[in-house]
Amino acid sequence: METIVKNLSDVSAQPPYEYDSEDRSAAVLVVLCEIGGVCHVLLNKRSESLRRHPGQVCFPGGMREETDCSVVETALRECEEEIQLQRDVVKVTSVLPSLKVYQKTLYLTPVICTVPPNTFTTYNFTPNPSEVADIFHVPLSTFLSDTEPPLKSHSVEHLYSSFDLHHFNVEFEGREFDVQGITAHLCVVIAAIGLGRRPKFEYRLPSEYCIVSDEIRSRVDRILHGL
């Protein structure tokens, strides 16, 4: 876990993590936990009653509110509201540079944090039913594998080009989930950087879908090309 945290910290944005513009902004909390010596990542399944992206898998997080002084505050507040993971349980270790999602004209910032070993198996997570239908966790290495679970992809049209976005079928306690879109993209990038390994499938950063920082692009390119 220490190596994963260090690798992600190496590409972290620098504090302070205050909002410096009025652009539409959101933050997600990437919660990592060691279970049996393996790093797991926490994910939500959105409520089917939500107007936007019902039933899709995502990280805890959401849109900036006027009272939020930083991206860290946004991510922690949203996580408390969605699944009752209290901020005194988590340790924020890094904040990855924001990425711009074209389709939403939105700046999204991943906030990386850890919780004590085995917290995922002992903590009393309480999903807010108006926002979250389910909570689950899987090994971070899942998102570098092409066999367990099966990897799928679909073609997305954007302006005058098309590109593939991967999505993963994952299983947790007998329930199946489909991780796709920007969440799948972030899972691959975080796993590749954190674990320092290239995916076992062909992958490239979907520049047609979102803009990532030069630091992230450079680190992922080096991993993908074995440099």
Side-chain angles (χ1 to χ4, degrees):
M1 180 67 84
E2 290 182 4
T3 299
I4 293 171
V5 169
K6 180 183 182 303
N7 288 344
L8 291 169
S9 296
D10 285 346
V11 294
S12 176
Q14 297 301 310
Y17 306 121
E18 298 173 355
Y19 290 105
D20 57 5
S21 75
E22 296 302 319
D23 293 319
R24 293 182 68 239
S25 301
V28 294
L29 197 64
V30 181
V31 189
L32 304 178
C33 179
E34 184 177 323
I35 302 175
V38 176
C39 178
H40 284 235
V41 61
L42 188 72
L43 294 164
N44 292 348
K45 180 180 179 182
R46 291 168 61 85
S47 169
E48 295 287 353
S49 64
L50 291 172
R51 183 168 58 89
R52 296 179 179 176
H53 311 296
Q56 290 191 7
V57 170
C58 63
F59 291 104
M63 297 297 298
R64 168 191 183 182
E65 292 189 355
E66 290 184 3
T67 55
D68 294 339
C69 61
S70 70
V71 293
V72 173
E73 174 62 27
T74 299
L76 293 175
R77 175 185 54 75
E78 286 283 346
C79 193
E80 286 180 329
E81 293 175 0
E82 291 178 359
I83 61 175
Q84 293 297 303
L85 178 59
Q86 302 302 312
R87 62 186 67 199
D88 60 353
V89 179
V90 309
K91 178 183 179 181
V92 174
T93 58
S94 58
V95 175
L96 299 189
S98 301
L99 55 92
K100 182 179 181 181
V101 183
Y102 279 130
Q103 293 177 332
K104 301 174 184 290
T105 317
L106 173 72
Y107 286 90
L108 178 65
T109 304
V111 177
I112 311 296
C113 74
T114 61
V115 293
N118 300 312
T119 297
F120 286 176
T121 62
T122 60
Y123 191 82
N124 184 27
F125 293 104
T126 307
N128 179 344
S130 66
E131 298 187 61
V132 178
D134 209 342
I135 305 168
F136 65 100
H137 58 85
V138 293
L140 186 60
S141 60
T142 296
F143 301 103
L144 301 180
S145 172
D146 64 348
T147 56
E148 295 292 341
L151 170 74
K152 300 187 293 183
S153 66
H154 65 280
S155 182
V156 176
E157 300 293 331
H158 179 74
L159 297 179
Y160 303 107
S161 63
S162 64
F163 56 98
D164 289 336
L165 282 180
H166 298 301
H167 52 121
F168 301 82
N169 292 322
V170 302
E171 183 175 324
F172 176 74
E173 296 183 346
R175 309 189 299 279
E176 293 187 354
F177 302 91
D178 185 12
V179 186
Q180 58 178 289
I182 196 67
T183 301
H185 160 65
L186 279 175
C187 285
V188 173
V189 168
I190 291 167
I193 294 175
L195 297 169
R197 302 204 308 260
R198 63 194 304 176
K200 295 181 179 179
F201 50 85
E202 185 176 349
Y203 183 80
R204 66 180 179 86
L205 289 169
S207 57
E208 303 91 342
Y209 184 73
C210 61
I211 299 175
V212 299
S213 71
D214 291 340
E215 297 93 333
I216 296 293
R217 183 171 299 280
S218 175
R219 177 63 68 91
V220 172
D221 282 344
R222 292 203 303 271
I223 291 171
L224 292 180
H225 295 94
L227 301 178

